[in-house]
Amino acid sequence: RVLVIGSITCDVTAFADRLPGRGETVLGRELTLVLGGKGANQAVAAARAGARTAMVGHVGRDPFAEIALAGLRDNGVETDQVTPVDGPTGVAHIRVADGENDIVIVPLANDHVDAARVDQALAQAEPGDVLLLQLEIPAATTAHAARAGHEAGLLVVLDPAPAVELPESVWADVDVVTPNETEAAAITGETDEDAAARWFLDRGVATVILTLGGHGVLMATSGGSRRHDAYEVEAVDTTAAGDAFTGTLGATLAAGTPLAEAVPRAMAAGALAVTKPGASPSLPSATEIDTFLEQ
Ligand code: ADP
């Protein structure tokens, strides 16, 4: 089973022919309201990739909560542990024009995910479950979840996105870390990929997987490192490639598949996600991933 403790948003996306300049108003063409948030996207990716997946987090008490919950449920994610708090649901306010976008994320309900919520969720977890964590909820909560998950015998996977400051002690509780190049550099201060991987290993992370977009991944353990080239696909929209990767990795590890096999499957999911526009709508199903891998 995969347990995701993380962010849930309603993504409000306005599409226009060009982005407005400062203080300017432009007319748009379309508006969509869909489930988003790194936590929720990775939960959807894990469920679509075939794992029994539960989301843990908060929505608010507003119409956006229904949109977010329906998005999780429609994709087969269990939502018993998504509880409402007073106030609004988290929002990502996105503007898209001509292949460019800008985003304002307002955490709102996500800021209320705390240690007590984590402990309640982990009380129902079992050793061998995969715990997927990201950094769109308070960093202290994520650090607590890593510690408690580690102690409960879960496999702790941390996607350190967006890169925020974390207590140094967190790394010893992390089994697998999956930063992209930008996040790895921001966290470690190292722009060299091998040096960044070494930084995480030195602090107690068992397996480092640096995702390098169209350049594939660098995977490192204390036993050595190896690179995997990306699958060649026609990139349409790279949004959510990382979420497809990490969610699928979690789902595949939860099925008991060893890392050496889980990484190529996660890379296939990342590659498939870039062939379609959007975030959660672009996340591939188990069938799509397995068909792609057989080609
Ligand atoms: P993020 O979205 O977090 O920045 P990446 O862009 O590194 O993450 O993508 C995650 C993984 O998805 C990559 O390691 C790669 O395997 C796959 N991927 C991403 N972009 C492409 C691409 N253009 N072509 C093929 N695979 C890709």
Side-chain angles (χ1 to χ4, degrees):
R1 204 167 73 117
V2 174
L3 205 63
V4 183
I5 302 180
S7 60
I8 301 164
T9 61
C10 179
D11 288 2
V12 182
T13 308
F15 297 83
D17 291 330
R18 64 177 178 86
L19 294 178
R22 188 178 282 244
E24 190 192 4
T25 301
V26 299
L27 284 179
R29 290 186 264 111
E30 207 198 328
L31 184 108
T32 57
L33 298 174
V34 295
L35 169 71
K38 255 181 193 305
N41 284 344
Q42 292 185 10
V44 169
R48 294 184 64 104
R52 193 179 150 205
T53 305
M55 181 77 211
V56 181
H58 285 313
V59 289
R61 295 184 205 276
D62 60 6
F64 284 173
E66 294 314 313
I67 292 168
L69 282 166
L72 287 164
R73 286 187 196 125
D74 290 351
N75 284 289
V77 177
E78 294 171 14
T79 56
D80 324 359
Q81 303 189 68
V82 178
T83 41
V85 290
D86 286 340
T89 300
V91 171
H93 203 223
I94 306 167
R95 306 186 299 183
V96 179
D98 211 15
E100 278 189 289
N101 67 55
D102 55 22
I103 306 175
V104 177
I105 294 179
V106 197
L108 301 163
N110 294 301
D111 266 345
H112 297 278
V113 184
D114 60 11
R117 189 73 202 75
V118 168
D119 291 344
Q120 213 182 334
L122 288 179
Q124 294 167 39
E126 286 169 22
D129 286 351
V130 170
L131 179 60
L132 285 190
L133 303 170
Q134 317 77 27
L135 298 174
E136 283 185 351
I137 57 172
T141 304
T142 301
H144 174 81
R147 169 60 49 89
H150 184 74
E151 283 171 357
L154 277 65
L155 185 83
V156 179
V157 179
L158 172 62
D159 186 14
V164 299
E165 213 159 311
L166 282 168
E168 187 90 3
S169 61
V170 76
W171 302 112
D173 295 318
V174 175
D175 294 295
V176 182
V177 70
T178 62
N180 67 16
E181 288 166 285
T182 318
E183 291 143 9
I187 292 166
T188 67
E190 304 280 1
T191 46
D192 176 76
E193 290 154 10
D194 293 290
R198 168 60 47 200
W199 187 97
F200 289 109
L201 295 175
D202 285 347
R203 280 158 184 78
V205 177
T207 303
V208 182
I209 304 176
L210 286 185
T211 70
L212 310 170
H215 297 290
V217 309
L218 169 69
M219 180 165 144
T221 65
S222 58
S225 69
R226 67 168 290 193
R227 286 174 185 271
H228 295 262
D229 287 334
Y231 293 104
E232 270 182 47
V233 290
E234 199 174 323
V236 171
D237 175 1
T238 59
T239 315
D243 293 336
F245 180 91
T246 306
T248 303
L249 184 75
T252 310
L253 293 172
T257 307
L259 257 169
E261 255 174 77
V263 168
R265 190 161 190 263
M267 292 178 66
L272 284 166
V274 307
T275 64
K276 289 189 194 161
S280 53
S282 75
L283 299 167
S285 67
T287 313
E288 286 174 289
I289 297 167
D290 295 330
T291 306
F292 180 84
L293 284 170
E294 279 160 20
Q295 279 168 9

